[in-house]
Amino acid sequence: MHADTSTRTRSGRLTQWLVSGPPFVFLCIFFLVPAAIMVVASVRYPGEFGALAPLFGGRPGEDSGITFENYGVFFGDWIYAQIFAKSFGVALATTLICLVMAYPVALLIARSPRKYRDLMVLLCVLPFASNFLVRVYAWMIILGPFDLLFSRFAVIVGMVYVHLPFMILPLYTNLEKHDPALLDAAQDLGANAWNRFWRVTFPLSLPGIFSGSALVFIPVLGMFAIPEILGGKDDWLVGNLIKESFLGTRDWPFGSMLSLMLTAAVLAIAAGAAWLAKRGVARA
Amino acid sequence: MLPPARRRLLLALAATAALALAGCAPKGDDGKQAEGETRATGTAGAELHLYNWNNYLAEETAKKFEEACKCRLVQDYYSDNEEMLAKLAAGATGYDLIVPTGNAVQTLVAQGALREIDHARLPRLADIKPEFLNQFFDPGNRHSVPYAYSVTLLGYNAEKLKELGLPTDSWAVIFEPRHLEKLQGKVTVLDSQRELFAAALKYLGHSANETDEAKLKEARDLILRAKPYWAAFNASSYIKELTIGNIWLAHGYSNDMFQAAQDAAKAKRPFSIAYSTPKEGAVLALDSMVLHKSGPRPDLAYQFMNFMLEGRNSAELSNMIGSGNANAAAMEHIDPAVKDNPAVFPDAEGRKQLEMLKDLPRRERRLMNRFWTEIKVR
């Protein structure tokens, strides 16, 4: 009996490793290593032809070694705070619009007869079958005649359009799991439709809202293609600046520094949201 | 997110697909390009790997070359120099021939990535017009042979601009509010910091390669003053917008304006697209053939260079995409409509006004990026 338990635990542990190992290794290789490279690049000088200046033994008169100059430039200039604020504004607006649009859809799917649900989910994901850029270009053709192209409005329309499924799916997965008996109970206790939604369904769906919001907010923050295609003259977001730094000016350290600052800002927001959510849940 | 290297190509393909969906597609060349990679003449063995700009070699020319050399021409494409340099920097090898612009040749030479060219093996090099030889990026043409060039200029709706009484021979028309008032929302400028700054600097009477901070600031202020009147910064769709008539004036490349003019004529628009080089001067981009060290078949690459130096073959390129031609022997084979356009084939006086972009030192690159950010955010 005793031996049996121990083998079971051992094989359990092995399974645990086999299941969690590959994603762990994947994250290490494809997230941590690139992040470390960016950290190192962000404290170097740019090379004369792109890439990085040598760490040691640069030619005389040439910069080499470690520097915090890139961070100095970032914090010493309002323009970068401005572009960050603008990007966060666009990301926030996109997330809120997605949420407002996706919630009824997700609720509708979750409350539909089971046999239609898969079909409806499939319809939500169907746009992914065509290339993302083709779909954004289609918006150029739609918005063009109305003189709405090349504007902040067009950027947000494009962003919402592309990211809507990322809000619908987590919301649906969450809403689908709700026990309908809860709503019946609320009704029996005299709650009207609004109260049943606001006091039962909505609080229960908060985890879905948070994961959906994260899936929309973060990619929007780094997006450069949509502002480039649909945006007007002042619709540069931080993603465009990072892209321009790497490709246009071949200034890898500056681009790395910007990417890290963006990551830091996103992490700070995620931490803040998690803290707020915890407080909210505790209060509920 | 898409790797930037493939992005521009995808953009081009996506544009064509989207246009086709809308049922107003001009006869695209993208399909031809895709075929390029799989084109086979059936001759096994010898292969020449050419890494070239999108749409920068006529299909008939490629076929003729394959027949002449009894080899297969394998093409790969890029849509800007940075993309090409980035791909090579990431370790791409096996390209025998590349066709970079001057400043990218300079970078490749400095990186030691190119083979030296043996002039004895290129008897037709003498046909190249002397003003295109011995440039700053490769003194003595030790590493490069001119292929074709384009000019960054003004393309416009000829009827509209005439009707409004606006000048088409000066950068003033895209920078001066007194002209722009009549063109509100009908102008696009290139979404490229070097090109737009070059235009502004030229208009202010400075060099396109100016690095002095005060002069760059002057250019930035000029751009910021004109910006409220522009419709967009645009790098790819101005050809279509001009052709449709959505915009009336665009800052762009001569090859693109040639295409816009052709498309507008083909679609029988009630207006025509013309293009001209501003009198203050403009940017000339000379693309040259270079031999990459990683290429296994320099012998075939020499055959290709000799083939492209032949007037008739070189002329096909100008006839197809309206590019400028550095080859004196090509002139007699170029369509008069292309050859007689002073925007692309200027006289000696006009030629002096054209300037090639040089690679900027990194501090100046960063400074310009700072100004560009300001332009894009304000």
Side-chain angles (χ1 to χ4, degrees):
Chain A
M1 187 69 199
H2 181 80
D4 192 44
T5 346
S6 86
T7 42
R8 198 185 297 152
T9 2
R10 203 178 298 150
S11 80
R13 215 172 274 158
L14 185 68
T15 318
Q16 208 177 347
W17 272 111
L18 281 177
V19 171
S20 63
F24 178 74
V25 172
F26 181 88
L27 276 181
C28 280
I29 296 178
F30 294 106
F31 178 73
L32 280 184
V33 172
I37 292 175
M38 278 204 300
V39 171
V40 174
S42 75
V43 291
R44 303 267 297 269
Y45 288 101
E48 211 49 75
F49 301 107
L52 303 170
L55 204 47
F56 306 106
R59 272 172 284 173
E62 218 181 321
D63 295 312
S64 62
I66 297 288
T67 175
F68 288 97
E69 186 191 302
N70 306 314
Y71 290 90
V73 172
F74 180 80
F75 288 108
D77 202 332
W78 270 109
I79 198 97
Y80 301 109
Q82 254 174 303
I83 197 167
F84 265 62
K86 187 182 274 185
S87 307
F88 278 96
V90 168
L92 191 67
T94 307
T95 311
L96 288 178
I97 296 171
C98 276
L99 182 61
V100 170
M101 290 173 76
Y103 209 104
V105 178
L107 207 56
L108 178 79
I109 302 177
R111 305 250 166 108
S112 297
R114 190 166 288 277
K115 55 178 176 180
Y116 296 129
R117 284 186 206 166
D118 286 345
L119 177 68
M120 291 167 99
V121 170
L122 183 75
L123 287 177
C124 288
V125 221
L126 200 62
F128 286 116
S130 65
N131 182 286
F132 149 77
L133 288 168
V134 175
R135 286 180 281 140
V136 177
Y137 262 98
W139 274 108
M140 269 184 100
I141 294 163
I142 297 170
L143 295 173
F146 301 104
D147 241 350
L148 294 169
L149 197 56
F150 305 137
S151 63
R152 185 73 46 85
F153 174 80
V155 172
I156 292 183
V157 165
M159 294 280 201
V160 167
Y161 169 72
V162 167
H163 294 94
L164 196 57
F166 295 104
M167 188 63 99
I168 296 179
L169 293 178
L171 272 177
Y172 160 71
T173 334
N174 172 285
L175 290 169
E176 193 209 15
K177 282 185 296 198
H178 291 192
D179 187 348
L182 289 174
L183 293 176
D184 292 342
Q187 193 168 16
D188 289 347
L189 292 169
N192 61 16
W194 169 251
N195 272 328
R196 269 175 285 160
F197 169 73
W198 185 243
R199 306 197 41 192
V200 180
T201 308
F202 183 75
L204 284 173
S205 68
L206 277 177
I209 292 179
F210 284 126
S211 55
S213 300
L215 282 179
V216 172
F217 189 85
I218 296 170
V220 168
L221 212 46
M223 173 66 73
F224 65 82
I226 293 179
E228 204 165 292
I229 300 172
L230 300 176
K233 292 163 291 180
D234 347 272
D235 289 313
W236 238 35
L237 302 182
V238 63
N240 300 80
L241 177 57
I242 293 173
K243 184 202 145 215
E244 188 73 17
S245 299
F246 273 102
L247 281 181
T249 35
R250 281 171 285 139
D251 194 339
W252 291 15
F254 197 70
S256 301
M257 182 275 299
L258 285 170
S259 307
L260 284 174
M261 296 320 287
L262 186 60
T263 312
V266 168
L267 287 179
I269 285 182
W275 181 74
L276 276 179
K278 221 183 198 172
R279 237 180 45 162
V281 168
R283 199 179 285 168
Chain B
M1 196 133 306
L2 284 158
R6 303 307 295 171
R7 202 182 51 81
R8 294 280 293 265
L9 180 61
L10 272 173
L11 281 176
L13 288 170
T16 319
L19 282 174
L21 281 175
C24 58
K27 277 210 172 125
D29 290 302
D30 300 69
K32 277 186 211 159
Q33 290 160 17
E35 275 168 40
E37 277 185 76
T38 50
R39 185 195 298 119
T41 52
T43 328
E47 277 183 355
L48 173 67
H49 288 260
L50 171 64
Y51 191 23
N52 199 354
W53 292 86
N54 288 329
N55 198 20
Y56 218 16
L57 182 65
E59 191 156 6
E60 308 85 75
T61 318
K63 279 210 182 99
K64 248 198 304 179
F65 172 71
E66 286 185 325
E67 274 157 30
C69 81
K70 308 243 181 322
C71 67
R72 218 170 77 104
L73 180 65
V74 183
Q75 294 199 66
D76 198 355
Y77 307 94
Y78 52 88
S79 49
D80 62 38
N81 285 304
E82 273 71 31
E83 183 187 333
M84 181 269 300
L85 289 174
K87 190 166 175 182
L88 291 178
T93 54
Y95 295 120
D96 297 297
L97 258 177
I98 311 177
V99 192
T101 310
N103 48 354
V105 173
Q106 195 181 10
T107 306
L108 288 170
V109 170
Q111 288 172 341
L114 303 180
R115 286 179 205 269
E116 277 207 32
I117 286 173
D118 179 3
H119 288 196
R121 293 172 73 176
L122 297 172
R124 289 204 184 86
L125 193 58
D127 288 342
I128 296 291
K129 300 171 195 166
E131 64 262 37
F132 292 99
L133 291 172
N134 202 17
Q135 297 297 322
F136 72 92
F137 57 82
D138 185 23
N141 284 75
R142 286 170 52 215
H143 299 93
S144 69
V145 174
Y147 181 83
Y149 66 86
S150 68
V151 180
T152 314
L153 39 63
L154 292 171
Y156 51 91
N157 186 316
E159 282 70 22
K160 270 286 173 212
L161 264 80
K162 198 171 174 194
E163 190 186 310
L164 296 168
L166 292 171
T168 54
D169 64 340
S170 166
W171 291 118
V173 72
I174 66 164
F175 289 125
E176 288 298 344
R178 68 172 189 278
H179 296 315
L180 288 166
E181 273 163 6
K182 300 180 189 164
L183 289 165
Q184 178 75 47
K186 297 292 180 191
V187 184
T188 65
V189 293
L190 278 176
D191 193 7
S192 149
Q193 39 178 298
R194 280 309 299 278
E195 290 285 4
L196 189 56
F197 266 90
L201 288 165
K202 277 286 182 194
Y203 178 58
L204 293 167
H206 307 309
S207 156
N209 293 304
E210 187 57 63
T211 55
D212 179 62
E213 187 166 346
K215 287 174 184 161
L216 287 175
K217 269 194 177 137
E218 207 185 329
R220 173 201 64 185
D221 293 341
L222 181 71
I223 292 168
L224 278 172
R225 194 180 60 167
K227 192 181 120 171
Y229 300 93
W230 296 337
F233 294 96
N234 191 315
S236 49
S237 54
Y238 64 87
I239 305 177
K240 185 195 83 188
E241 302 289 332
L242 265 178
T243 312
I244 295 175
N246 283 350
I247 60 165
W248 300 339
L249 176 65
H251 165 226
Y253 303 107
S254 53
N255 296 354
D256 288 347
M257 300 309 174
F258 175 80
Q259 197 194 330
Q262 276 199 326
D263 289 351
K266 246 186 271 171
K268 302 210 167 39
R269 298 276 172 198
F271 52 80
S272 59
I273 305 298
Y275 46 107
S276 60
T277 307
K279 58 176 185 277
E280 296 90 1
V283 170
L284 176 127
L286 176 62
D287 299 314
S288 301
M289 298 180 273
V290 299
L291 303 178
H292 197 250
K293 272 188 179 157
S294 76
R297 295 302 299 263
D299 55 324
L300 293 178
Y302 275 103
Q303 276 194 46
F304 184 83
M305 287 195 283
N306 272 321
F307 181 83
M308 283 313 291
L309 284 170
E310 217 167 288
R312 201 177 288 274
N313 301 328
S314 178
E316 270 173 19
L317 186 63
S318 290
N319 292 335
M320 179 185 75
I321 64 164
S323 70
N325 205 310
N327 192 335
M331 296 311 284
E332 57 176 307
H333 303 290
I334 300 177
D335 292 344
V338 176
K339 186 168 56 175
D340 296 340
N341 186 340
V344 181
F345 292 94
D347 54 19
E349 204 49 44
R351 172 71 190 80
K352 278 189 211 139
Q353 295 286 79
L354 299 177
E355 199 177 349
M356 295 187 204
L357 288 181
K358 293 178 185 167
D359 217 6
L360 293 184
R362 59 176 192 80
R363 295 233 168 247
E364 282 71 22
R365 288 208 303 266
R366 187 174 274 189
L367 182 68
M368 198 178 271
N369 198 27
R370 162 71 179 74
F371 289 153
W372 188 241
T373 308
E374 209 173 319
I375 290 165
K376 287 306 201 84
V377 175
R378 287 240 168 106

